[in-house]
RNA sequence: GGCCCCAUCGUCUAGAGGCCUAGGACACCACCCUCUCAAGGUGGCGACACGGGUUCGAAUCCCGUUGGGGCUGCCA
């Protein structure tokens, strides 16, 4: 790597949002650039008119920033480099490397052979308008040097005369890609394996354009779904933005993505970004596809959530607590949430599940889970007694979680119950759920009045209430 | 169909010929801890796709088979 300026690029097509696979590609380019002191260029591949709608790029940039992936150059837009592409196409035509073709879509279909694509019908017709096709060599082969896969050889016989410029004069990505990578002096091309098969075409164009410094390639393994297919916009949850909305932290997302195809030398999986940069080696990336496992992502996210200082955790939770909360907004009390935060933080795998863990504190009536209520109260023979006595001894209790704990333990004792059993009807009566933050801290925060009110209400609903 | 890629526990991976009766993590199960649930601790289940070579020795190298995937657009 000495003596050569490392320049990499992430070049997404503007589809409106950043795809999980794209994010991983961006991350690996970024890690590589940062690890060797190279330059990370952002380039928008919008050569197709359909991709020129306003705003399609914004989401991608926003999400890259959210992930902490910054760029040193760009974003360049291919839509603004039409001149350079036109020049390149003209050069290819003059040098005999490309020719006009007026075949229609149907013509091409009819002329496509099973083993080598378009049959080159227009090659020597001397047309002066239409789409422009690259004259692929009839013999020989092109070798793609890939640091992840080794040398991959493509026989020219299987490479068709592909289109480099559309009838409307715009360049297709193969051409734009070749020209831009040369003009921008890209030294390493790191992208998804789905592009491996198109690489010899780009190499052929570059060669025809006089290039003698092809970049080093690294084709990353595809990220696949449970059926081992490439993640697709249609059937899979691929928008990184969506994971953000589902309560994942950017650091966790980034860390998990880094683990798809790469791993540090030791047995660590959770590691700070600086360590990743320090240890990242593009040649260590595995060539085989990786399944995007949301369960594992959640586990990683849980680790990151727990590692947060409580105050930071509280701040991160705010959007979930203040925007469209399950309780009347005016009921929310930040001080109360801050008091339970540490308990919630230990239990949450995503920020999105936080509201349900604390809703009993801000709801006028607890959100009752039918199954829980039925099991712990209605169908529980001990419920009436426990509830009655809880009301009796909580009424004059010193309102403190330790004291509530002691009183309830004594209560359980008198009923010959384990505290675990005795607390169940109380918890469900007060919070509506069987699980949640520690009960006595919860009661303490809820306050005596509301606690007694909810216990009484639960008791009243019992079929044989005393 | 053609071209290309890939192949270690269910999943993500460690493993670059002997350190491997294959290690870690997630998931799952059990137990411990415990006011529920988590967290934490301990343990368990669980893999080198198959067949040939090469070698004193192969998860590691080679070939083949099988399986999976990608590409095959005037999308990128």
């Amino acid at each position: 790597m000495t003596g050569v300026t490392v320049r990499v690029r992430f070049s997404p097509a503007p589809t409106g949002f950043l795809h999980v696979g794209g994010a991983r590609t961006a991350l690996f380019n970024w890690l590589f650039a940062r690890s060797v002191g190279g330059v990370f260029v952002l380039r928008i591949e919008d050569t197709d008119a359909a991709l020129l709608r306003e705003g399609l790029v914004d989401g991608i940039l926003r999400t890259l920033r959210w992930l902490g992936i910054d760029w040193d150059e760009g974003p360049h837009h291919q839509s603004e480099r039409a001149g350079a592409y036109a020049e390149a196409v003209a050069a290819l035509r003059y040098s005999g490397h490309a020719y006009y073709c007026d075949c229609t879509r149907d013509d091409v279909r009819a002329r496509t052979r099973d083993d080598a694509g378009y049959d080159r019908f227009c090659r020597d017709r001397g047309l002066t308008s239409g789409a422009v096709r690259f004259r692929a060599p009839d013999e020989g082969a092109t070798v793609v040097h890939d640091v992840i896969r080794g040398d991959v050889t493509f026989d020219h016989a299987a490479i068709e005369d592909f289109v480099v410029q559309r009838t409307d004069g715009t360049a297709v990505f193969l051409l734009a890609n070749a020209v831009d990578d040369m003009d921008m002096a890209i030294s390493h091309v790191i992208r998804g394996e789905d592009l491996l098969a198109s690489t010899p075409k780009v190499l052929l164009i570059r060669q025809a354009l006089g290039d003698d410094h092809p970049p080093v390639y690294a084709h990353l393994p595809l990220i696949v779904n449970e059926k081992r297919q490439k993640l697709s916009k249609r059937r899979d949850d691929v928008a990184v933005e969506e994971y953000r909305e589902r309560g994942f932290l950017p650091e966790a997302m980034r860390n998990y993505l880094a683990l798809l195809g790469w791993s540090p030398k030791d047995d660590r999986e959770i590691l700070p970004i600086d360590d990743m940069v320090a240890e990242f080696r593009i040649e260590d990336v595995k060539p085989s596809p990786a399944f995007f496992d949301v369960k594992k992502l959640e586990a990683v996210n849980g680790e990151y959530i727990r590692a947060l200082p409580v105050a930071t955790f509280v701040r991160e939770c705010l959007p979930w607590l203040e925007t469209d909360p399950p309780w009347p907004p005016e009921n929310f009390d930040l001080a109360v949430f801050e008091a339970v935060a540490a308990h919630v933080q230990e239990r949450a795998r995503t920020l999105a599940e936080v509201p349900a863990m604390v809703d009993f504190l801000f709801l006028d009536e607890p959100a009752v889970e039918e199954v829980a209520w039925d099991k712990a109260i209605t169908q529980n023979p001990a419920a009436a007694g426990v509830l009655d006595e809880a009301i009796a001894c909580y009424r004059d209790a010193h309102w403190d979680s330790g004291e509530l704990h002691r009183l309830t333990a004594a209560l359980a004792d008198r009923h010959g119950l384990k505290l675990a059993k005795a607390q169940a009807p109380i918890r469900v009566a007060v919070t509506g759920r069987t699980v949640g933050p520690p009960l006595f801290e919860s009661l303490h925060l809820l306050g005596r009045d509301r606690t007694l009110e909810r216990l009484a209400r639960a008791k009243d609903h019992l079929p044989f209430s005393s």
Side-chain angles (χ1 to χ4, degrees), chain A residues 65-138:
Chain A
R65 289 194 194 96
W66 178 70
L67 285 170
I69 298 174
D70 55 349
W71 51 93
D72 307 307
E73 224 184 272
H76 298 295
H77 288 260
Q78 292 190 327
S79 54
E80 291 166 4
R81 290 184 35 82
Y85 308 144
E87 273 180 40
V89 171
L92 290 175
R93 281 193 4 257
Y94 292 136
S95 63
H97 286 289
Y99 59 88
Y100 279 114
C101 166
D102 65 359
C103 291
T104 63
R105 197 183 180 76
D106 287 340
D107 292 340
V108 173
R109 203 194 320 276
R111 294 186 173 287
T112 295
R113 295 158 301 171
D114 253 8
D115 56 339
Y118 175 66
D119 74 355
R120 306 168 179 182
F121 177 67
C122 294
R123 248 195 191 190
D124 301 303
R125 291 175 65 209
L127 300 175
T128 53
S129 68
V132 176
R133 282 182 186 275
F134 185 84
R135 184 187 296 264
D138 299 324

Side-chain angles (χ1 to χ4, degrees), chain A residues 210-228:
Chain A
D211 171 50
D212 56 359
H213 280 93
V216 172
Y217 283 95
H219 285 94
L220 307 175
L222 254 23
I223 297 180
V224 300
N225 61 21
E226 59 289 338
K227 292 165 74 180
R228 310 299 304 179

Side-chain angles (χ1 to χ4, degrees), chain A residues 213-287:
Chain A
H213 280 93
V216 172
Y217 283 95
H219 285 94
L220 307 175
L222 254 23
I223 297 180
V224 300
N225 61 21
E226 59 289 338
K227 292 165 74 180
R228 310 299 304 179
Q229 296 166 319
K230 178 169 79 157
L231 245 35
S232 101
K233 186 175 175 175
R234 280 199 52 192
R235 49 175 188 251
D236 306 302
D237 293 332
V238 298
V240 174
E241 187 90 353
E242 194 179 300
Y243 287 92
R244 175 186 189 171
E245 285 161 12
R246 280 162 62 179
F248 290 94
L249 298 174
E251 296 79 6
M253 191 73 193
R254 187 171 63 194
N255 195 146
Y256 175 67
L257 250 18
L259 261 19
L260 259 24
W262 177 79
S263 63
K265 284 300 174 198
D266 51 29
D267 276 337
R268 284 188 304 165
E269 290 199 319
I270 307 296
L271 64 169
I273 191 71
D274 289 347
D275 289 9
M276 280 191 238
V277 169
E279 296 180 34
F280 188 79
R281 297 286 177 280
I282 189 66
E283 60 271 25
D284 288 342
V285 173
K286 274 188 39 133

Side-chain angles (χ1 to χ4, degrees), chain A residues 9-46:
Chain A
R9 42 74 166 182
F10 172 55
S11 42
T15 52
F17 63 90
L18 185 62
H19 187 282
V20 165
R24 202 273 308 255
T25 298
L27 177 61
F28 280 31
N29 271 285
W30 185 89
L31 285 172
F32 176 65
R34 293 291 172 264
S35 70
V36 300
V39 176
F40 181 72
V41 179
L42 184 59
R43 185 172 79 209
I44 307 301
E45 308 232 322
D46 53 0

